[in-house]
Amino acid sequence: MIYEASSEAVILFLLFVGFTLGLSFWLGRKGQSSEGYFAAHGQIPWFVNGIAFAGDYLSAASFLGICGMIAVYGYDGFLYSIGYLAGWIVALFVVAEPMKRLGKFTFADALDAKFNSKGIKLAAGISTLAVSIFYLIPQMVGAGVLVQPLLGFDHWVGVVIVGTVVILVVVTAGMVSTTWVQFLKGSLLVIFSAILTWMILERGFEVQTGGIDGHQFKILGPVEIDDIPEAISAVDLGITDTQINMESAAVPFVRINHAEGAPTYWTMLDNGDGTVKLLETQTRRIVAEGELVNGQLKGTEKGQAELHPVGYVSKLPDGKQKTGPLGLASFFSTLQNSEVVLWNHFDLKIEGESDTRVYYQKPTLGSQVLRPGEHPKFAGIRKESFVGKLNFLSLMLALFCGTASLPHILIRYYTVKDESSARKSTIVGIAAIGFFYVLTLYLGLGAMTSGALDVTDSNMAAPLLARSMNTWLFAAISAIAFTTVLGTVSGLILASAGAVTHDLMGTVFGMEMDDQKKVRVAKISSVIVGVIAIVLGILFEGMNVSYLVGWAFSVAASANLPSLVMILFWKGVTKEGVIAALIVGMVSSLGWILLSADTFKEVYHMVDHPGYTPFGQPGIVTIPLGFITLILVSLMTKKTAE
Amino acid sequence: MESKNARLGLQLFSVYLLFYGGFVFISAFKAEWMEATPVAGINLAILYGFGLIISALVLALIYGVTCKGEDEVPAPPSTDAKSATAAKNGESA
C-alpha cells in the first residue's frame, strides 16, 4: 500500500514526541552521577516503576506484532500475549526480590554477588549485550513500521529516525528520565488501547466484500472447470488464453493472459461437487520499470495502481448484514459463528518472467480464526508429527522463562528502594500488562475485520485499525507506540551500556573509572549499540516483530535463567558452572536460531533451504542444556572451589 | 522473612506452572479441545487464555497481600540501602 502523511497526524505526533523528549532532557539534568544514570538513585516510587515496567515491556512486539499476528492469522498471536504475561510470574515469584537484594547496577552483579569473579562478569556482560541487541532488532523494525503510514517515509528512514532520537535520549538522559517517560507511555498506551477496544465493540461487525478503499473483490461461480474461461471473460476483457494450474502453488489457480497488459490470477475454491468458485487476487511483481501492482505500475496517478486494503467479515450468523454494538463476550460468540476473509500469498516462478507474488482471499470460518494452530509456525500442533508440537512447546517455554531473564527488565529492579518496592512494582506491572494483553485479542480481531489491513505487512495492523476509526486517534496511537519503541530501545541501550561499563570495562579489563568517566564510557557504548541496532533494524524489515521477540526470549532464557535460578536455590553452584552455563546457553540458542530454516528463509533469503535444526524454536533444548551444563560443571569443579 | 516470602513465592509459582502447563499441553496434543464452546458461545482457547491472564494477577495480589504483613521493617533510607548493597558486592558506590 502507499502511505500518505496526514497533516493533523503529523502535528499531533510531533507534539507528543517533542513533549516526551523535552521531559526526558529536563529530567535528565539530574541524572549525571553513575548511580543516577544507571539506577535513578534507587528513588523511583514503586507505582511509577510498575507502570514503567509496562512501558518497557509493552513494546513494538506487543502492540504491533501481536495485534498484527492476530489480525492476519487469528488466535495464534494471542499465544504470545499469554506467554509474555506468564513470564512475569517467574519474575515476581522467583527472581524479583533476590535480584534486588543481590545486585546494584546490572544483572551480572546479582550473579556475581557470591563469587566476585571476572569470568562471570565477562560472560554475563556479553550475554546482556547479545540479548539486548537481539531484542533491539524487533523494536527497530517496529519503529520503521510506525513511521511508514504516519509520515509516509520508507521503512529505513523510520529506523534511522528512531535510532538517532534514542541515542540522543540515552546520551543526554539516563535511567531517571527513561523511567518517567516509560511511565507516561505505559499509561497512555493502555488507556488508548482501551478506548480503541471500546470503539471496536461499538462498531460491531458488518458484512463486506472489500476493504475501506471501496474496491469490491469479485467471487465468481460456482462454475464447472470447463466453463472457467467463459465466466472470467464476463468480467475481464481482452483475454487471449486461460491456464489452469493445480499443482505449483499453495492453492490451485487460473492464470489469465491478455492481448495487452500483464496477466491476472484467480484462485479456485473447490465446492466438492465438481464445481469451483473463482476468487480475485492481488499481485506484485518487480519489473525493469519499477513495481507492478495488479498488472499496473505502482502509484496513485491515473493508470497506476496500489494494493487494496483487506480484512472483512463475509458472513454473519443468521444471515445478518450488520450486528450493531457488541459486548465483551458477544464479540467472540458472534465471530465464532461468522466467516472472515483472510489473505495469504504464494510466489510464482515462471520462466522468462520476474517472480510474481500472488495475494489471495481465504474465506475462513470464525471458529477456525479463534482456535490455535492456524499460523504456519504453529500449524504443527494440528499435525501428527511430533516435531511441530515440540516447536510449539519450545516457544511457550521460552516465553515463560524469558521475561525474568531480560536484562532491561532486570535493571528496573535497581531503580526502586527495597525488596518490598520491587515486589509491589512487579504486581502493578502485571496488572497493567495483563489488562493490555486482554485487549490485544480485541484489537487484533478488530483489525482483522476493519477493512484496513495491508497484505504486505502484518506489523501495520494496529496503526491501520486506528486510522480506519479516526485520524486523530491514529496519530495519538502512533505517537504513543512510537515513543514506546523509543523508551524500550533506550532501556535496552542503557542495559547494554551498563554491561559494557560495569561488567566489561570496569571489572574485566580493570579500567579505573571515576564517576564521570563511567558515565562517559556508557554514553559512548550507547552510541555504538544504537548504530548496530539501526543497521539490524533495516536488515530485518518485514519479519513479524513478535516472532523476532520470541527468539530474543529464547536467547535470554537459555543464557541467563539457569544461572539466576540455580544461584538462588542450590548451594553447590561454582563460578565455573555459572560461566559455562552462560556461554553454553547463549552460544547454543544463538547458533540454533542462526541455523534454523526460518532464518535461512527470512534473513538469508534462501527460501528452499531446510536449515540445520529440526525446528525453529531453540528453548526446549537450550534452556535445559544451560541447567545441565551448570550442574555438571559445578559438580566437576566443586573440589577446586572448596 | 526472606525465606518465608520465597517459600510462598515458590508455592504460588507451582500453582501457576500447573495451570500454564495445562494450557500448553492441551494446545499441543489435544488442540481440538480448544474449539469447544463451554460458556456463552466462547471457545475454550479464549476462556483458558483470559483465565491465565486473570489468574496471574490474582496470584500476584495474593502474594502481595500475604507478604505485606512482613514489611514491618521500615525501609532503610536509600543511601544506607545502597551502601549495604555496595558493601556486599565489594564495590564502592
Side-chain angles (χ1 to χ4, degrees):
Chain A
M1 275 159 64
I2 296 170
Y3 299 105
E4 280 172 44
S6 85
S7 49
E8 57 262 55
V10 175
I11 293 168
L12 189 66
F13 177 79
L14 291 179
L15 276 178
F16 191 86
V17 175
F19 173 73
T20 312
L21 286 182
L23 182 74
S24 167
F25 293 144
W26 182 71
L27 290 165
R29 292 172 309 145
K30 297 181 195 160
Q32 296 310 328
S33 71
S34 66
E35 190 91 8
Y37 188 80
F38 293 111
H41 306 281
Q43 292 290 339
I44 303 286
W46 57 266
F47 183 80
V48 174
N49 203 55
I51 301 290
F53 267 132
D56 257 330
Y57 200 65
L58 299 178
S59 58
S62 300
F63 187 60
L64 303 175
I66 292 180
C67 290
M69 206 182 263
I70 297 176
V72 177
Y73 297 102
Y75 185 85
D76 287 328
F78 191 59
L79 291 168
Y80 282 92
S81 294
I82 293 168
Y84 286 150
L85 187 80
W88 280 94
I89 289 293
V90 186
L92 174 65
F93 292 154
V94 185
V95 177
E97 290 170 54
M99 268 302 289
K100 178 65 191 164
R101 198 160 60 234
L102 298 174
K104 188 176 170 219
F105 286 132
T106 65
F107 135 86
D109 289 341
L111 285 191
D112 199 29
K114 191 171 143 195
F115 303 107
N116 208 6
S117 136
K118 281 187 182 179
I120 293 186
K121 288 261 184 188
L122 177 67
I126 294 177
S127 132
T128 300
L129 269 179
V131 173
S132 299
I133 288 178
F134 230 80
Y135 203 92
L136 274 167
I137 301 171
Q139 310 303 329
M140 300 306 269
V141 172
V145 166
L146 278 169
V147 168
Q148 235 172 321
L150 186 74
L151 305 176
F153 292 149
D154 279 343
H155 176 87
W156 72 270
V157 182
V159 175
V160 172
I161 295 179
V162 174
T164 316
V165 177
V166 165
I167 292 172
L168 266 179
V169 172
V170 177
V171 169
T172 50
M175 201 61 179
V176 178
S177 57
T178 305
T179 303
W180 281 97
V181 167
Q182 286 298 35
F183 168 72
L184 187 72
K185 286 174 312 199
S187 5
L188 287 176
L189 186 64
V190 173
I191 293 169
F192 272 84
S193 301
I195 296 176
L196 199 51
T197 303
W198 175 75
M199 292 173 81
I200 291 169
L201 295 175
E202 280 299 297
R203 182 161 79 174
F205 298 120
E206 192 178 349
V207 173
Q208 304 280 1
T209 50
I212 49 173
D213 69 342
H215 178 84
Q216 303 199 324
F217 289 101
K218 295 180 202 76
I219 297 183
L220 306 178
V223 292
E224 308 257 334
I225 294 204
D226 294 339
D227 298 338
I228 288 176
E230 203 179 318
I232 291 179
S233 358
V235 292
D236 199 353
L237 301 174
I239 296 179
T240 53
D241 82 295
T242 311
Q243 298 163 350
I244 295 177
N245 191 326
M246 308 295 280
E247 302 291 326
S248 61
V251 286
F253 67 91
V254 188
R255 173 180 159 123
I256 311 291
N257 293 322
H258 300 86
E260 278 176 41
T264 52
Y265 296 87
W266 295 73
T267 52
M268 293 191 281
L269 203 62
D270 192 353
N271 285 328
D273 58 358
T275 64
V276 293
K277 269 190 196 141
L278 295 168
L279 283 69
E280 184 181 350
T281 65
Q282 308 199 68
T283 56
R284 239 173 111 199
R285 208 175 121 198
I286 306 293
V287 291
E289 300 84 44
E291 190 179 338
L292 280 188
V293 170
N294 298 336
Q296 293 175 301
L297 269 181
K298 182 180 172 182
T300 48
E301 318 250 305
K302 201 165 183 284
Q304 296 179 327
E306 58 177 310
L307 288 167
H308 301 292
V310 301
Y312 38 85
V313 174
S314 49
K315 270 185 209 141
L316 280 171
D318 310 323
K320 272 192 234 159
Q321 285 298 306
K322 203 174 174 175
T323 60
L326 291 166
L328 290 169
S330 58
F331 180 80
F332 295 124
S333 54
T334 308
L335 193 60
Q336 175 86 20
N337 298 306
S338 306
E339 183 189 81
V340 184
V341 177
L342 303 180
W343 284 71
N344 213 328
H345 66 258
F346 56 81
D347 289 318
L348 280 182
K349 291 180 188 302
I350 296 168
E351 259 192 50
E353 287 178 20
S354 55
D355 293 359
T356 301
R357 176 159 285 190
V358 180
Y359 299 94
Y360 62 94
Q361 304 180 54
K362 208 176 116 199
T364 310
L365 293 176
S367 55
Q368 278 179 34
V369 166
L370 294 176
R371 69 180 190 185
E374 294 299 306
H375 188 286
K377 303 275 199 279
F378 295 113
I381 63 173
R382 303 204 158 271
K383 292 183 184 142
E384 287 298 307
S385 130
F386 191 62
V387 172
K389 297 182 193 297
L390 266 186
N391 192 40
F392 173 77
L393 293 178
S394 188
L395 173 70
M396 295 311 277
L397 179 70
L399 296 184
F400 190 57
C401 298
T403 302
S405 331
L406 290 173
H408 74 291
I409 296 296
L410 292 174
I411 58 169
R412 199 151 276 299
Y413 283 118
Y414 303 126
T415 59
V416 289
K417 66 178 191 300
D418 52 24
E419 290 156 48
S420 146
S421 304
R423 183 171 67 232
K424 284 187 210 153
S425 60
T426 313
I427 297 172
V428 171
I430 289 180
I433 295 167
F435 178 60
F436 177 82
Y437 280 150
V438 168
L439 299 182
T440 55
L441 193 55
Y442 292 95
L443 295 176
L445 296 172
M448 174 189 272
T449 52
S450 66
L453 289 184
D454 180 341
V455 284
T456 63
D457 197 341
S458 66
N459 295 325
M460 213 82 90
L464 290 176
L465 163 72
R467 198 169 68 167
S468 77
M469 298 279 188
N470 176 308
T471 310
W472 289 103
L473 185 71
F474 164 62
I477 292 262
S478 300
I480 294 164
F482 185 80
T483 33
T484 300
V485 174
L486 287 187
T488 308
V489 174
S490 33
L492 284 163
I493 292 185
L494 263 177
S496 319
V500 172
T501 315
H502 295 291
D503 305 337
L504 300 183
M505 298 297 214
T507 312
V508 179
F509 302 119
M511 224 164 112
E512 286 289 320
M513 289 186 281
D514 59 19
D515 227 36
Q516 275 194 331
K517 195 166 177 197
K518 268 189 186 171
V519 174
R520 202 162 56 240
V521 170
K523 288 179 176 177
I524 296 171
S525 359
S526 301
V527 175
I528 298 171
V529 176
V531 172
I532 296 176
I534 292 178
V535 174
L536 293 174
I538 295 171
L539 286 180
F540 282 73
E541 178 189 357
M543 269 194 88
N544 181 287
V545 292
S546 257
Y547 199 72
L548 288 170
V549 167
W551 277 345
F553 271 59
S554 301
V555 179
S558 310
N560 300 344
L561 194 74
S563 312
L564 262 177
V565 169
M566 292 309 278
I567 280 182
L568 299 177
F569 296 103
W570 188 42
K571 287 202 171 65
V573 177
T574 65
K575 68 175 185 217
E576 289 83 359
V578 173
I579 297 171
L582 279 166
I583 294 175
V584 169
M586 175 173 60
V587 172
S588 59
S589 54
L590 267 177
W592 184 294
I593 289 168
L594 294 176
L595 294 176
S596 73
D598 291 327
T599 312
F600 273 97
K601 183 175 162 208
E602 308 269 2
V603 185
Y604 313 142
H605 300 296
M606 294 161 71
V607 180
D608 298 325
H609 199 292
Y612 297 104
T613 58
F615 46 89
Q617 298 289 346
I620 207 163
V621 175
T622 54
I623 298 173
L625 185 67
F627 277 101
I628 293 169
T629 309
L630 189 140
I631 293 169
L632 285 182
V633 175
S634 290
L635 288 176
M636 274 164 14
T637 52
K638 206 173 168 199
K639 277 219 173 87
T640 7
E642 279 162 5
Chain B
M1 184 184 95
E2 281 166 16
S3 67
K4 219 172 168 184
N5 278 359
R7 204 165 50 240
L8 175 67
L10 282 184
Q11 284 163 354
L12 294 174
F13 173 75
S14 319
V15 171
Y16 194 80
L17 185 63
L18 279 178
F19 197 34
Y20 182 78
F23 177 84
V24 173
F25 279 93
I26 292 177
S27 301
F29 296 100
K30 287 281 171 212
E32 64 279 5
W33 288 9
M34 287 297 188
E35 294 171 45
T37 50
V39 185
I42 302 176
N43 71 10
L44 183 63
I46 295 175
L47 293 172
Y48 205 153
F50 279 6
L52 276 168
I53 292 178
I54 294 163
S55 63
L57 180 61
V58 171
L59 291 180
L61 286 173
I62 293 176
Y63 183 65
V65 170
T66 318
C67 290
K68 207 173 178 183
E70 297 167 353
D71 283 344
E72 73 290 347
V73 189
S78 62
T79 42
D80 291 358
K82 258 175 266 156
S83 48
T85 328
K88 241 187 251 175
N89 289 342
E91 279 184 31
S92 58

